[in-house]
């Protein structure tokens, strides 16, 4: 799967992953993540040396890779709204799901992270996949600020997502929406 996903990348991105052979790409998406009017990239990767899932972000404007949680901090706004869907880190949630569904994923040769473009950059206020009324939405997050949201699926069976938005003022990603229920 890594080789297939890597083949679709621009040359500079391919070179990065060739020089970081410990990283296997599980999914990628692009959009204006850092709101610099750029075509930023996001990757879900498996680090074979550390034996863990990581979320890499490529800031197109600054030409830099950043790892979520290590290089860019994440703030969970859902705790302020009495929402407890988003416990733990997003990368840990992905890893736990991959372990839990390993037999199914291997037998079906399905990767829930890329099926139907599940890992994406969206405007969740207009995307039918997200149910803002039934999901958990931060109380203080304005509807008109939901464009360019990085949405990460956390289940291979259900329409479960964690959605983060980059706050340029604070230089932090904020988890402001979570959805955990059946389709």
């Amino acid at each position: 799967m890594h080789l297939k996903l890597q083949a679709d990348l621009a040359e500079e991105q391919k070179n990065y992953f060739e020089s970081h052979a410990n990283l296997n790409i599980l999914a990628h998406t692009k959009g204006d993540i850092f709101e610099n009017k750029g075509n930023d990239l996001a990757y879900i990767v498996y680090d074979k040396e550390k034996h863990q899932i990581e979320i890499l972000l490529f800031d197109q404007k600054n030409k830099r890779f950043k790892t979520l949680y290590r290089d860019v901090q994440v703030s969970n706004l859902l705790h302020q709204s009495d929402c407890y869907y988003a416990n733990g880190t997003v990368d840990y949630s992905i890893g736990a799901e991959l372990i839990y569904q390993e037999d199914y994923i291997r037998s079906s040769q399905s990767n829930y992270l890329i099926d139907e473009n599940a890992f994406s950059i969206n405007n969740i206020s207009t995307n039918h996949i997200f149910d803002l009324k039934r999901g958990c939405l931060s109380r203080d997050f304005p509807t008109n600020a939901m464009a360019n949201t990085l949405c990460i699926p956390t289940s291979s069976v259900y329409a479960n997502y964690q959605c983060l938005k980059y706050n340029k003022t604070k230089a932090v990603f904020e988890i402001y929406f979570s959805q955990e229920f059946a389709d």
Side-chain angles (χ1 to χ4, degrees):
M1 181 174 5
H2 168 76
L3 294 175
K4 180 183 173 201
L5 293 172
Q6 185 176 349
D8 297 337
L9 301 178
E11 204 58 40
E12 72 177 306
Q13 299 295 306
K14 284 182 191 177
N15 292 340
Y16 177 83
F17 286 103
E18 286 171 1
S19 66
H20 292 83
N22 59 307
L23 301 177
N24 276 353
I25 304 169
L26 302 177
H28 61 77
T29 191
K30 62 183 171 181
D32 191 12
I33 302 168
F34 292 99
E35 297 197 341
N36 292 322
K37 298 182 181 21
N39 212 8
D40 304 314
L41 297 157
Y43 298 93
I44 298 175
V45 299
Y46 176 69
D47 186 323
K48 295 182 286 190
E49 290 174 358
K50 296 179 184 174
H51 304 286
Q52 68 185 31
I53 299 295
E54 292 182 343
I55 301 168
L56 288 179
L57 306 169
F58 182 72
D59 182 342
Q60 184 68 37
K61 180 182 176 188
N62 296 310
K63 304 288 186 210
R64 285 192 54 218
F65 277 93
K66 302 173 183 181
T67 303
L68 204 60
Y69 296 100
R70 186 175 62 220
D71 303 320
V72 183
Q73 296 304 309
V74 177
S75 174
N76 188 343
L77 301 181
L78 299 179
H79 293 300
Q80 300 166 353
S81 298
D82 297 326
C83 297
Y84 298 100
Y85 291 165
N87 288 323
T89 63
V90 180
D91 49 356
Y92 180 83
S93 296
I94 294 167
E97 182 67 12
L98 289 171
I99 291 167
Y100 180 68
Q101 293 292 338
E102 180 180 6
D103 291 339
Y104 169 76
I105 291 168
R106 286 185 192 280
S107 67
S108 68
Q109 299 202 352
S110 171
N111 177 348
Y112 81 96
L113 297 168
I114 60 174
D115 293 344
E116 300 174 21
N117 297 316
F119 178 52
S120 61
I121 299 162
N122 280 289
N123 181 339
I124 70 168
S125 68
T126 59
N127 189 314
H128 72 281
I129 294 173
F130 305 103
D131 187 340
L132 300 180
K133 292 186 182 0
R134 287 185 55 208
C136 185
L137 178 64
S138 175
R139 285 186 208 128
D140 301 327
F141 206 86
T143 305
N144 64 352
M146 293 181 180
N148 302 318
T149 297
L150 179 62
C151 294
I152 303 170
T154 57
S155 174
S156 62
V157 179
Y158 301 111
N160 295 358
Y161 289 88
Q162 299 290 319
C163 294
L164 305 93
K165 174 84 176 187
Y166 186 67
N167 183 326
K168 285 177 82 168
T169 306
K170 297 178 182 177
V172 64
F173 275 89
E174 297 173 327
I175 299 174
Y176 76 91
F177 179 73
S178 181
Q179 175 171 291
E180 292 193 9
F181 47 83
D183 294 334

